[in-house]
Amino acid sequence: MIVVVSAFDDAEAASAVLARSPEWVETGAAVLRHHLLLPPGAVAQAAELLEPDGWRLRPAPEAEQAAFGTAPAPGEEPLFAERVQKLDALHCSQENARMAGLAQRLGGRAVGWVALQSG
């Protein structure tokens, strides 16, 4: 799996993000990975809220934190929320808004998202 789309600028539309990616295969499934920074005490609740819709929440491996989009502040745990799905601008935008709202409610931040496909 390789990163085919990367979105860490809230001002950039998902349609523009997808359009600028020469690697993205529109017809293929992808792993949509949201990068979240949450307080450690909120991780279990976030996982519980995301799991029914097929999301898996896991710690971001230290090796992948350099490309996380921003450095965690003290008291923030870097996490990945991941799900396999087809990518389109509408669903990427909706899920980005959902992750931002979830992170905010739990005292954290959603810093961006990437999509991975077979390379």
Side-chain angles (χ1 to χ4, degrees):
M1 301 291 282
I2 61 167
V3 174
V4 296
V5 180
S6 180
F8 289 92
D9 180 357
D10 285 339
E12 187 175 21
S15 57
V17 171
L18 294 171
R20 72 173 158 77
S21 173
E23 296 92 6
W24 171 50
V25 178
E26 186 175 350
T27 58
V31 174
L32 181 58
R33 175 187 290 166
H34 288 272
H35 294 215
L36 306 175
L37 296 167
L38 297 177
V43 173
Q45 184 180 3
E48 184 179 304
L49 292 168
L50 293 170
E51 189 177 302
D53 291 322
W55 291 96
R56 179 178 78 132
L57 190 65
R58 67 178 179 94
E62 200 167 317
E64 295 183 53
Q65 289 180 21
F68 203 77
T70 189
E76 289 182 325
E77 186 170 339
L79 302 159
F80 291 148
E82 299 172 319
R83 178 170 78 177
V84 175
Q85 66 180 67
K86 284 215 161 178
L87 294 182
D88 62 52
L90 175 63
H91 290 102
C92 288
S93 294
Q94 288 173 334
E95 295 302 340
N96 189 45
R98 177 185 183 190
M99 294 298 168
L102 173 75
Q104 184 179 25
R105 281 192 313 276
L106 297 177
R109 323 181 257 160
V111 296
W113 58 272
V114 299
L116 300 96
Q117 288 181 314
S118 298

